[in-house]
Amino acid sequence: MAKIRYYYNTETCKYEPIKASKKAVFMNIMGFLSVSIVLASGLIYLYRTNFTPIKESTLLAKNQDLKVEWNLLNDELQRAYDHADELEFKDDKIYRVILDTEPIPLTVREGGVGGHDKYESLMEEDLEQSEMIVGTFQKMDKLKKKLYIQSKSYDQISSLLSEKEKMWASRPAIQPINNKELTRLHTTFGRRYHPILKQWKDHEGLDFTAPSGTPVYATGDGVITSSYSSATYGNVVFINHGYGYQTRYAHLIEYIVNRGESVKRGQVIGYVGSTGRSEAPHLHYEVLYNYKPINPINFFQRDLSNDEYEKLIEISKQETIPLD
């Protein structure tokens, strides 16, 4: 209930209620509203400057969580990038060195992945956030290109390795007969006095003494180009190993392979004999590279240790009596 205010009327000598004019009432109301508005504005300003709205606080918290997750993603991306660098190093410095092929040029590995326009859609007013986002996408694009080039490199290496394996299997690499005791190598490679023709001639292979019927092995994978009998070499087998290599096996008592037949290293192709121009059972063995005879002793490492190989070299230097 509103309080009634009174004043003392000297004329009537009585207390009479004060009657406010409409103007005074209006001014009072306006003054009250003005003060209320000023107080409300002040309270709102204080609240906004000292307190964050709940919705905004929620968004800020989510944004902070996203920053943390983005940084974790960047760390994982950097680890993947480092791993890709390690793969490139092994590719260029190990695998390609072993396979005797050139590394991938840096201009190919480090080529560009697109201009700045590619990332315009990621740019925002917040420069710091934009640089972070664009930097991450650029690194991811570079990683994708590195991995693509590396995958192509591995395809090439796989192809090279298959070809090298084929070449290594084809290259003459073992002795043509069982000679673990290193006692069967009989003559040297090169010029020597022929016991039958009584003149100096080039001896284009090595002679291995062995009992008649001793197995003779193909020294590498290849294809039989000829197996025939001649007056000088007797029964002969000729193998083409590819990659410029050929081998000849002569004076056989018998050969068991035919022209066009594929053979594997270590496969029996015939047996030691003394056919043709020969004084005793033995195998005459030749290695040719691009149709030129080379010393077969350089191709025995596959079935000999280093010490055995060195001993065989010494034996080959000793003077012996030629058998053909």
Side-chain angles (χ1 to χ4, degrees):
M1 182 177 180
K3 292 182 178 180
I4 300 174
R5 306 180 72 179
Y6 295 87
Y7 74 97
Y8 184 74
N9 191 335
T10 56
E11 292 181 359
T12 61
C13 296
K14 292 181 179 180
Y15 286 98
E16 295 179 0
I18 298 174
K19 296 181 179 178
S21 65
K22 291 183 178 180
K23 182 178 181 179
V25 172
F26 176 77
M27 292 303 294
N28 285 338
I29 292 172
M30 292 303 295
F32 175 77
L33 291 174
S34 298
V35 171
S36 298
I37 291 171
V38 170
L39 287 174
S41 299
L43 289 173
I44 291 171
Y45 174 77
L46 289 174
Y47 178 79
R48 288 186 172 178
T49 54
N50 293 278
F51 301 95
T52 303
I54 294 176
K55 185 176 181 179
E56 187 177 344
S57 297
T58 302
L59 291 175
L60 287 173
K62 288 183 178 180
N63 188 48
Q64 189 61 35
D65 291 341
L66 289 174
K67 282 184 178 180
V68 172
E69 292 179 6
W70 193 274
N71 288 328
L72 291 174
L73 176 63
N74 262 319
D75 291 341
E76 290 294 328
L77 188 60
Q78 185 59 50
R79 279 191 283 271
Y81 205 88
D82 293 340
H83 186 59
D85 286 340
E86 184 180 351
L87 294 178
E88 287 181 359
F89 177 83
K90 289 181 177 179
D91 186 345
D92 289 341
K93 304 301 182 182
I94 300 177
Y95 307 143
R96 289 179 175 270
V97 171
I98 292 173
L99 295 173
D100 193 27
T101 187
E102 292 295 322
I104 295 176
L106 287 176
T107 53
V108 175
R109 287 198 182 276
E110 298 180 358
V113 291
H116 186 74
D117 294 343
K118 180 178 179 180
Y119 306 102
E120 277 189 354
S121 61
L122 301 173
M123 300 297 289
E124 299 175 355
E125 292 183 2
D126 189 335
L127 184 61
E128 180 182 353
Q129 302 289 354
S130 297
E131 288 180 348
M132 179 181 71
I133 293 171
V134 170
T136 300
F137 273 89
Q138 286 176 329
K139 184 180 290 186
M140 185 168 62
D141 284 342
K142 287 181 180 179
L143 178 60
K144 285 163 61 179
K145 181 176 182 183
K146 286 168 78 75
L147 294 177
Y148 173 77
I149 293 174
Q150 192 57 51
S151 69
K152 292 298 181 182
S153 176
Y154 281 149
D155 290 342
Q156 183 186 20
I157 285 176
S158 178
S159 177
L160 287 170
L161 182 59
S162 296
E163 185 63 23
K164 289 289 185 180
E165 287 178 340
K166 183 179 177 183
M167 183 188 73
W168 291 330
S170 300
R171 187 175 184 268
I174 63 173
Q175 296 181 90
I177 65 172
N178 188 351
N179 187 31
K180 270 296 182 180
E181 297 81 10
L182 307 180
T183 58
R184 291 181 168 175
L185 182 59
H186 187 70
T187 58
T188 59
F189 176 87
R191 197 161 184 79
R192 51 92 186 209
Y193 190 74
H194 198 284
I196 299 176
L197 300 177
K198 307 299 181 182
Q199 59 180 320
W200 288 92
K201 289 182 66 68
D202 288 332
H203 189 238
E204 298 179 341
L206 295 177
D207 290 343
F208 291 85
T209 58
S212 184
T214 300
V216 176
Y217 307 107
T219 57
D221 295 359
V223 176
I224 306 297
T225 53
S226 59
S227 52
Y228 61 95
S229 295
S230 74
T232 54
Y233 281 121
N235 292 326
V236 180
V237 170
F238 214 104
I239 301 177
N240 184 0
H241 301 277
Y243 309 98
Y245 290 103
Q246 296 169 303
T247 52
R248 176 158 34 201
Y249 312 76
H251 305 301
L252 303 174
I253 190 174
E254 179 188 9
Y255 52 78
I256 58 173
V257 289
N258 298 305
R259 181 178 179 180
E261 184 177 340
S262 295
V263 293
K264 294 291 186 181
R265 178 185 290 141
Q267 179 178 334
V268 176
I269 59 173
Y271 301 94
V272 171
S274 187
T275 57
R277 191 179 293 162
S278 171
E279 291 194 329
H282 73 286
L283 171 70
H284 175 82
Y285 172 66
E286 295 179 11
V287 175
L288 299 93
Y289 182 68
N290 291 335
Y291 304 102
K292 293 182 179 180
I294 54 178
N295 195 340
I297 204 165
N298 297 319
F299 296 85
F300 296 154
Q301 298 96 326
R302 180 69 179 260
D303 61 347
L304 296 174
S305 67
N306 290 337
D307 291 340
E308 289 172 335
Y309 183 67
E310 292 297 329
K311 183 177 179 181
L312 194 66
I313 294 291
E314 290 301 316
I315 292 173
S316 71
K317 294 178 181 178
Q318 297 173 7
E319 291 294 332
T320 54
I321 300 174
L323 297 172
D324 59 359

